[in-house]
Amino acid sequence: MAFEGLSEKLQSTFKDLRGKGVITEKDIDAAMKDVKMALLEADVNFKVVKSFVAGIKEKALGEEVMNSLTPGQQVVKIVRDELVEMMGGANSKLTYSPSGFTVYMLVGLQGTGKTTTAGKLAAYLKTQGKKPMIAACDIYRPAAIDQLEIVGKAVNTPVFAMRDSKDPEAIAKAALKEAQNKGLNVLIVDTAGRLQIDEALMEELKVLKKGVKPHEILLVVDALTGQDAVNIANGFNDALGVDGIIMTKMDGDSRGGAALSVKAVTGKPIKFMGTGEKYDALEPFHPDRIASRILGMGDMMSLIEQAENAYSEEEAKKLEAKIRQNKFDLEDFLDQLKQINKLGGLAKIIDMLPGISAADKKNIDIEQSKKELKHLEAIIQSMTKEERANPSILNASRRKRISAGCGLPVSAINKLIKQYDEMRKMMKKMNDPKFKKKNKLFKGLGF
């Protein structure tokens, strides 16, 4: 998980500080020493760390903090605010051309995931009501066009290619004309990369920039390259003037130093982060939410937004009606398992929940949980429609047949039915007027 190592160290540092009624300068010095080491180990730029720690110490030793009722908590708030500022402050949104047609140019080195990111960006833009096309302007990499066409098909987005052309500018211009003729309003230009920054690459990109006049140039960098990502961002920005950064493979980077350093060093904001292989695994980068995740405060806003995207209003109303009428069956239970997968799985959900420390997250066996979810799904799918709707008819012979169908022991089926019965009892209790009266939270949620 992103920032896992840093998160664990920072949360451990502030655990004791939070509970202290009085803190001294010595306490703050000790905490800042740990913070400094944690950030350096997370591969955050040394100059950024030095400035960050100095800023926190100055504010933490202020009269307002030292004389407050909860000085430890005040220090944690300062750290959170400084983390947010380090990553750019507010969320830097993607901007659109006032003319009504927007061109985004994706640049970066080879292997950073530009082509896949082009598909993810197209999928994201479609959720914003845009109609994108992707232009295949990588004329060097073998099968680059084929890969982009597969990506385009997966996200239901047209891909423009000129297989015989060796002129990226001509391809991009023709794509722009084609997109406008088809009534589309966004063109994503997928460019060629190199193994390293060189003059030929930059010259080609400059020509492309002049030819299609992109509204934004988005640099795609691999989070796993650590501080190299920051150096690469500097190189591309000096040559082209990038408008924002898309940080890929954030789910595989437990340190997160590049994400924490890049804005402070280059002045360019991270606009998106890639958090998985699926085409919907591209999240807008919110510095305040990331800072809260790092410090174990959760990220409920992102979780709610993803839940809203994964779950239609109609589906939500149907589920609510079934809960009210006490008609929640195993078919509905199966649907809920599928929704968890839509949200990115248990690991992603747990990462966004407040109150679960980085150390606790490490103790949760995600792989085992995934395995159990698959087992539950296999059991339910081995049942008939009648059995899913009315599990009370599941006698011994039916359970044996289901066991043979899913390849799991009868005890696993018994366990599932027990879990389901307990959930039904809980839902019945939630619908009890006496329970609602006692619990204002449920009343406020509309149950």
Side-chain angles (χ1 to χ4, degrees):
M1 289 182 280
F3 307 105
E4 186 180 358
L6 174 63
S7 184
E8 189 175 354
K9 287 184 175 69
L10 289 183
Q11 287 176 40
S12 175
T13 297
F14 296 124
K15 189 176 180 182
D16 293 335
L17 207 61
R18 268 193 179 105
K20 287 191 174 185
V22 177
I23 57 173
T24 64
E25 186 172 349
K26 189 178 177 182
D27 292 327
I28 290 172
D29 283 339
M32 290 309 101
K33 186 180 178 183
D34 289 342
V35 168
K36 185 177 180 180
M37 287 305 299
L39 290 168
L40 290 173
E41 285 174 19
D43 203 21
V44 180
N45 180 276
F46 175 73
K47 289 181 181 177
V48 174
V49 173
K50 194 176 176 183
S51 172
F52 177 77
V53 171
I56 293 171
K57 187 175 177 182
E58 184 184 345
K59 290 174 183 175
L61 290 173
E63 190 177 332
E64 187 182 331
V65 173
M66 299 302 279
N67 294 331
S68 70
L69 291 173
T70 56
Q73 291 178 9
Q74 288 280 75
V75 172
V76 175
K77 183 184 181 300
I78 290 168
V79 172
R80 182 192 175 278
D81 292 345
E82 291 293 307
L83 274 173
V84 172
E85 195 59 36
M86 186 201 295
M87 291 185 281
N91 163 238
S92 183
K93 294 180 180 179
L94 207 59
T95 58
Y96 305 101
S97 172
S99 68
F101 193 96
T102 306
V103 179
Y104 297 115
M105 187 166 130
L106 298 187
V107 300
L109 298 185
Q110 257 182 34
T112 58
K114 274 197 311 299
T115 300
T116 305
T117 299
K120 288 181 178 182
L121 183 59
Y124 171 80
L125 289 166
K126 289 175 80 171
T127 67
Q128 305 302 301
K130 301 296 179 182
K131 294 180 282 186
M133 173 184 274
I134 307 172
C137 294
D138 183 349
I139 58 171
Y140 305 106
R141 188 165 55 87
I145 293 172
D146 293 335
Q147 185 193 354
L148 194 58
E149 285 178 342
I150 291 167
V151 167
K153 192 175 179 182
V155 294
N156 197 24
T157 298
V159 171
F160 182 89
M162 292 167 59
R163 289 181 179 273
D164 297 328
S165 176
K166 296 297 178 186
D167 184 349
E169 184 191 8
I171 297 167
K173 283 183 173 178
L176 181 56
K177 192 175 180 180
E178 177 78 0
Q180 289 172 327
N181 288 341
K182 286 189 171 183
L184 306 177
N185 54 20
V186 176
L187 180 68
I188 301 166
V189 181
D190 182 31
T191 65
R194 300 283 193 280
L195 291 174
Q196 60 188 25
I197 295 174
D198 60 22
E199 285 184 29
L201 169 66
M202 288 307 169
E203 194 54 43
E204 183 181 295
L205 294 175
K206 284 176 186 175
V207 170
L208 254 177
K209 178 184 177 181
K210 190 177 178 182
V212 295
K213 298 178 176 59
H215 188 63
E216 286 197 8
I217 295 177
L218 300 171
L219 173 64
V220 181
V221 293
D222 183 342
L224 296 173
T225 58
Q227 282 308 295
D228 278 347
V230 180
N231 299 331
I232 291 160
N234 262 333
F236 273 91
N237 187 46
D238 291 345
L240 287 172
V242 302
D243 298 288
I245 292 163
I246 299 178
M247 192 75 69
T248 63
K249 304 175 190 174
M250 283 291 288
D251 55 317
D253 180 23
S254 64
R255 296 176 302 171
L260 292 172
S261 305
V262 72
K263 175 65 169 68
V265 175
T266 68
K268 299 301 174 181
I270 299 174
K271 296 213 170 189
F272 293 95
M273 59 180 185
T275 56
E277 294 177 6
K278 293 180 181 178
Y279 289 107
D280 60 355
L282 186 72
E283 293 180 27
F285 190 84
H286 294 273
D288 55 339
R289 300 183 190 181
I290 296 296
S292 291
R293 284 192 211 181
I294 290 171
L295 295 172
M297 298 172 185
D299 181 5
M300 289 306 292
M301 280 304 297
S302 292
L303 187 58
I304 289 164
E305 285 172 3
Q306 288 181 30
E308 284 174 347
N309 290 333
Y311 219 93
S312 72
E313 192 176 339
E314 188 183 343
E315 287 173 324
K317 283 180 179 176
K318 278 183 184 176
L319 179 62
E320 186 186 341
K322 285 199 169 191
I323 291 171
R324 285 182 189 276
Q325 296 161 22
N326 200 27
K327 290 182 179 178
F328 185 87
D329 60 26
L330 285 171
E331 193 77 58
D332 301 312
F333 189 71
L334 180 60
D335 285 341
Q336 296 313 299
L337 297 181
K338 289 176 180 176
Q339 293 303 328
I340 289 172
N341 286 327
K342 270 192 187 180
L343 288 171
L346 282 174
K348 200 166 184 180
I349 293 171
I350 289 166
D351 199 35
M352 293 181 186
L353 291 174
I356 303 177
S357 70
D360 289 338
K361 285 174 189 174
K362 283 182 80 173
N363 292 329
I364 297 170
D365 193 335
I366 296 295
E367 289 308 313
Q368 183 60 29
S369 299
K370 283 182 186 176
K371 194 175 175 182
E372 286 177 7
L373 278 176
K374 284 181 181 176
H375 285 175
L376 293 176
E377 194 170 339
I379 292 168
I380 296 169
Q381 285 176 337
S382 297
M383 294 178 186
T384 64
K385 198 168 183 180
E386 185 187 9
E387 288 166 345
R388 292 182 201 180
N390 185 16
S392 63
I393 66 172
L394 289 172
N395 56 25
S397 61
R398 284 177 184 264
R399 295 187 190 208
K400 278 184 183 178
R401 191 205 77 245
I402 294 164
S403 172
C406 65
L408 293 164
V410 172
S411 59
I413 296 148
N414 295 338
K415 185 181 176 182
L416 166 64
I417 300 304
K418 188 179 178 183
Q419 288 173 336
Y420 167 75
D421 286 339
E422 285 172 358
M423 187 181 288
R424 291 261 299 189
K425 284 176 189 174
M426 183 188 74
M427 288 179 173
K428 191 175 180 181
K429 189 178 180 182
M430 281 165 54
N431 277 315
D432 186 335
K434 291 178 183 176
F435 179 82
K436 288 181 184 179
K437 195 174 180 181
K438 286 180 184 176
N439 294 270
K440 290 180 181 179
L441 170 64
F442 286 94
K443 195 175 179 183
L445 291 171
F447 285 103

